[in-house]
Amino acid sequence: MIIYLLSKFVLLAAIPIAALCAKNKVLHLGGFIPMDVSLSGGWSASGILPALQMGFFDINQRRDILPDYQLNATWGDTHCLAGAATKLFVKTITNPVTKILLVGDGCSSSTQPIAEVIPFYNLVMISYSAGSPSLSDRKRYKTLFRMTPSDFNYNRPRVAIMKYFNWSRIATIYQSERSNTFSLTAENVINIIKTQIKNYEIVTTESVRRDPKIQIENLQRKDARIIVLDMFASEARLTFCWAIRLNFTGKNTQRVWFISGFYADYWWKINDTDCTVQELEKALEGVIITDIINVRTDEIQTISGMTVQDYQERLKLWPTYKSYHYNRYHPYGYDTTWAIALALNRTATKLANWPKADNLTLENFTYRHGKLIKDIIMESFYELNFEGVTGSVRFTDTGDRAGTVIIQQWRNGSKIPVAIYDNSKNTLRWIDEFQWKGDVIPSDGSNRILIVNYKQIPSTSTIAIVVISAIGIAISFAFALWNHKYRKAPLFEMNKNLIKTGVTGRILCEMWKWFIPLGFTTAYTALISKTFRIYIVYTSVQSKPRRKKLLDRSLIKLIMILLLIDVIYLGLWSILEPLQLQEKTVKIEVTHVDNADVRQETKDFKCHSKNLTYWILILSTEKALLLIIGMLLAYSTRNVEVKELNDSKLLTVINYNFMMALIITGPLRSVLSAMPGETYFLLDTIFIWFSVTIMLSLLFFTQFYRMMRRFGKISESALPGTRSISHALD
């Protein structure tokens, strides 16, 4: 213990001594790091700071790198907030001490506003841990480099695992935040799935802004099994907590979650949800974690002269190491310092050997006139190729690094390495095997066993409709026979051409389509012909001469013309777009408690065609015109004084009855189609039955009543008005 304290004291004392004596010129760097993230709920990079400090210390001790300069970084806390980062940047550039380069930030959201504006100040920035894919946009972030690989590196390994287990039904849920880090990552994984997985199905893409309850309910309703989650740790805890509360982590259905590995150690133990640590640990069991490999796995000596083991042992002795929570991204911080030093060293050499530089040196850099130095620094970063503690360091045209990803599985509170994926070669190397509940590979839900039940109309409802339809048919035949028997009587002379054609039910779609329009046309045009004959007689009585007699065959010809129009229209409909029986899923429910893949699906049949609404609309318009004509005729005969002719009130009621049948049943069919099959069948059939039956009853019972009052008391020749009526008809 005494030796440790002594070494710590010597090391602390050595830092300022080295800074003062080793090199005589200072290059100032602006440092941005998220430390206190209690307000933002973001990611803290405080544990990387010791590695950054140690890296600059080691560089300042080297005489072969920047021999005339020492590097001095001034650090400020961005809190992982864009506003705080912007404020800190303004403070940095307004400080009298000019910064030749910026380091940071750790969070993508607070890196973006700085990286977007620094080209106007001829500044270059390198981040040690910002992973947002949006930062790869070179048109927007022109002078930004990143030591840590982009979050896009997580997606190809995820898809590789999906392909390995034949998972094709995938859902994504991501946090919607200002930097669009997670939305872009989710979009990228979907694009890779579309190109890599055959017969893929994106179940749903859920965006979470605050409370993810609704999004978890959507995942549950759509039976998502394989879920890619991209969000900060605080939102991830809340998401898993809601999954627990809503039983989305059910006992009988295995769900596989993919999460990123950048969360801090023991991130699930932070008490900011309604769930206990034990509940969250249980919910995380089996989760697949994709993470970049933070340190190289070989014993190669790095640019610093240390192996990875040497580096880790030395970092633990660094004075500030225990001052912050451990952060596994610390090696990227160390390699960042070396990338800065090597790039500036190369820049200094180029300036010294370039005649056009006109004796320009690094300390001559200014925000206003530093474009040349900035361009050379950028060029030097692109030329870097060295061995760091995180592996080989090289930058792409977008300023990124292509990293190697380790795939882990959460087991009993620990992350167990399973495979390694090399993004530069797109290869997957297995280390261990995944372990699943009950040794059964989870299903993505695409191989579900469906027990299909077709919904049928109950026999009691069918029998009831058949009975009342039979009654209606019997009444129709009775009226027809009665009308034929007394067809010579003046009371029935006017009605002998009324033909009843009713619809008793829809057996097939085409029968439904043909029977209702033809039945309406036949019945209603016969009614109109009666009214039209009354109108002609009435006008003749008022000394308005007719040009020719209105015979029965003339009225029948009128009915046949209207029927022919219907036949042509319905025929075109049947030829161009016939109605088809269409299956419609009413509900899906789990029927086996022990196997969530066995489901019962209830289906119903509906008559449907592509443009069904338009066909019905045209047909309804034509029938509405007939109704209007009938109403006009009834109105014109309202003042007829002869009782046998004055049926205008009766005809008006019948017109209204028909109008209700036409206007209501059309839209009603659309509404009823969303109802259960039995309800639709009963309401639709009963409504048609009542409309037709009421029409017949009003028409014939009235005539029957008049007939009974006169039957046997007054001879047919003695009926009042008989002679004049017959004369008028002739």
Side-chain angles (χ1 to χ4, degrees), residues 588-711:
I588 300 177
E589 56 187 353
V590 178
T591 56
H592 289 68
V593 177
D594 298 329
N595 189 350
D597 286 333
V598 179
R599 293 169 173 266
Q600 180 168 295
E601 183 174 318
T602 304
K603 289 189 175 183
D604 199 357
F605 284 109
K606 300 292 181 184
C607 292
H608 183 73
S609 65
K610 183 179 180 180
N611 297 298
L612 179 62
T613 302
Y614 299 106
W615 287 104
I616 292 178
L617 182 61
I618 295 172
L619 192 63
S620 301
T621 302
E622 186 250 334
K623 304 308 173 192
L625 291 175
L626 286 178
L627 285 171
I628 294 172
I629 293 172
M631 295 297 292
L632 291 174
L633 288 173
Y635 179 80
S636 299
T637 59
R638 69 189 186 282
N639 295 322
V640 176
E641 296 178 358
V642 181
K643 292 183 178 180
E644 288 78 4
L645 294 179
N646 194 357
D647 288 333
S648 60
K649 293 182 180 179
L650 177 62
L651 294 176
T652 302
V653 174
I654 294 173
N655 268 288
Y656 280 128
N657 181 61
F658 262 122
M659 185 175 292
M660 183 167 54
L662 179 67
I663 295 176
I664 296 180
T665 54
L668 188 63
R669 286 179 184 277
S670 300
V671 177
L672 291 178
S673 61
M675 295 183 177
E678 182 181 6
T679 304
Y680 175 75
F681 173 72
L682 290 173
L683 291 178
D684 188 45
T685 307
I686 290 173
F687 195 88
I688 293 174
W689 186 89
F690 270 109
S691 297
V692 176
T693 305
I694 289 172
M695 182 198 72
L696 288 174
S697 301
L698 286 173
L699 187 62
F700 283 99
F701 275 119
T702 303
Q703 301 290 11
F704 179 75
Y705 175 74
R706 292 178 183 174
M707 185 72 181
M708 290 298 100
R709 290 182 61 183
R710 299 180 180 180
F711 186 78

Side-chain angles (χ1 to χ4, degrees), residues 409-422:
Q409 187 180 34
W410 197 285
R411 302 177 195 164
N412 299 320
S414 300
K415 295 184 288 187
I416 308 300
V418 177
I420 293 177
Y421 188 88
D422 188 343

Side-chain angles (χ1 to χ4, degrees), residues 4 7-8 11 312-321:
Y4 169 74
S7 63
K8 182 175 180 180
L11 192 58
Q312 291 175 332
E313 290 177 354
R314 185 159 173 266
L315 182 65
K316 291 178 181 179
L317 296 175
W318 189 255
T320 59
Y321 177 75

Side-chain angles (χ1 to χ4, degrees), residues 491-506:
L491 286 172
F492 288 91
E493 185 83 22
M494 308 296 177
N495 297 328
K496 65 181 182 180
N497 291 316
L498 184 61
I499 303 172
K500 165 68 178 67
T501 304
V503 178
T504 60
R506 291 183 300 113

Side-chain angles (χ1 to χ4, degrees), residues 100 118-124 142-143 347 351 354 360-362 364-379:
I100 192 171
I118 56 175
F120 298 103
Y121 296 88
N122 294 308
L123 281 167
V124 177
K142 300 177 181 179
T143 60
T347 302
L351 289 173
W354 192 22
L360 194 64
T361 59
L362 292 177
N364 298 135
F365 172 82
T366 62
Y367 300 138
R368 177 174 295 184
H369 304 293
K371 183 179 185 304
L372 177 61
I373 294 178
K374 181 263 294 182
D375 291 341
I376 298 177
I377 292 175
M378 290 277 294
E379 183 181 278

Side-chain angles (χ1 to χ4, degrees), residues 292-296 312 326-332 389-391:
I292 53 178
I293 297 179
N294 63 329
V295 292
R296 63 191 313 145
Q312 291 175 332
Y326 173 80
N327 190 306
R328 56 188 306 274
Y329 278 67
H330 61 79
Y332 289 99
V389 293
T390 60

